[in-house]
Amino acid sequence: MKRRVAILISGRGSNMAALIEAAGASDFPAEIVVVISNRADAGGLERARASGIATVTIESKPFGKDRAAFEAVLQTTLDQHRVELICLGGFMRLLTAEFVQHWYGRMLNIHPSLLPSFPGLDPQGQALRAGVKISGATVHFVIPETDAGPIVMQGAVAVADDDTAETLADRILGVEHRIYPDALRLLAAGQARLEGEICKTEGNIGVGAVLISPAAT
Ligand code: GAR
């Protein structure tokens, strides 16, 4: 049985689109049953509809600081669609600790840095200002702290001297679109399991690959 997944978005939804595309494969262990946005103008909603996925908008603005009331509506929607796993894809609304605890181990987020480096806003700019030579993206289980939690998968890119936040973001986005579907596949297939605060993966895929930046000539 495929695991039933909701994707939560606030914007363009390119990660959402990558997840929808991957989940279209017959052997993918999860199906996207609903895309939920907290903004009616999120570009991703149209993309989801074009793919034949059910969409729901729950405008968060009218709820103001009452996060629990917003999440009560959100939880009802998740229940209606019998959602088992949640993927946050550029979902820009903070969630309460209660909601996050309820979904612990069943809710993923993606962030465009190699966490725990550079959480929060403008991670690509943070990476450039720190002068790191390698950056990337991280898929992690969601915990109450923002952009933190057990890491499921990471992908790395080299940082070039002439990178801007935009060029680096573009390169990292390409990695995001690869690792988010792969991480969801692992979770849905039961191949990613939590041991305390660490996520372990069956097979330890990827060990042996090395990225050196800058490459000495
Ligand atoms: C992505 O780069 C994602 O990693 C980032 O927002 C963007 C959403 O793009 N998320 C965060 O920064 C979370 N702290 P998308 O709507 O095209 O997927």
Side-chain angles (χ1 to χ4, degrees):
M1 278 291 268
K2 289 183 183 243
R3 310 297 302 277
R4 298 176 63 82
V5 177
I7 305 176
L8 271 54
I9 64 168
S10 301
R12 70 187 160 179
S14 72
N15 278 290
M16 173 210 75
L19 290 167
I20 289 173
E21 194 189 334
S26 57
D27 66 346
F28 198 82
E31 61 179 316
I32 313 304
V33 294
V34 64
V35 168
I36 303 172
S37 173
N38 70 320
R39 297 179 55 128
D41 62 356
L45 286 170
E46 199 43 54
R47 294 174 88 161
R49 282 187 211 113
S51 306
I53 309 285
T55 62
V56 176
T57 299
I58 309 167
E59 279 280 7
S60 52
K61 221 175 195 165
F63 291 95
K65 287 196 162 66
D66 194 349
R67 297 187 191 285
F70 169 78
E71 288 165 5
V73 181
L74 176 59
Q75 186 61 53
T76 300
T77 306
L78 295 168
D79 291 342
Q80 279 165 353
H81 290 267
R82 291 180 286 118
V83 168
E84 303 173 87
L85 303 172
I86 297 175
C87 290
L88 305 182
F91 184 68
M92 292 315 199
R93 171 103 181 165
L94 292 176
L95 297 164
T96 64
E98 290 72 26
F99 185 88
V100 170
Q101 293 299 353
H102 177 72
W103 284 95
Y104 182 64
R106 301 180 294 153
M107 179 157 59
L108 297 176
N109 181 45
I110 190 157
H111 183 75
S113 75
L114 293 175
L115 292 173
S117 291
F118 318 132
L121 295 176
D122 189 25
Q124 301 90 350
Q126 292 187 56
L128 292 179
R129 287 188 290 277
V132 296
K133 305 306 177 204
I134 292 173
S135 190
T138 303
V139 178
H140 63 94
F141 287 105
V142 178
I143 62 171
E145 195 184 330
T146 305
D147 299 326
I151 292 168
V152 180
M153 191 175 286
Q154 294 183 303
V157 300
V159 179
D161 283 350
D162 61 355
D163 261 328
T164 63
E166 289 72 31
T167 60
L168 182 56
D170 274 356
R171 199 171 320 116
I172 292 174
L173 198 61
V175 171
E176 294 186 48
H177 297 164
R178 288 177 60 184
I179 66 171
Y180 214 172
D182 284 353
L184 176 60
R185 177 189 283 278
L186 288 178
L187 178 62
Q191 291 172 289
R193 61 175 198 288
L194 281 166
E195 280 183 18
E197 289 174 8
I198 304 290
C199 176
K200 297 269 175 88
T201 304
E202 229 168 72
N204 219 3
I205 307 148
V207 171
V210 173
L211 171 63
I212 295 172
S213 171
T217 50

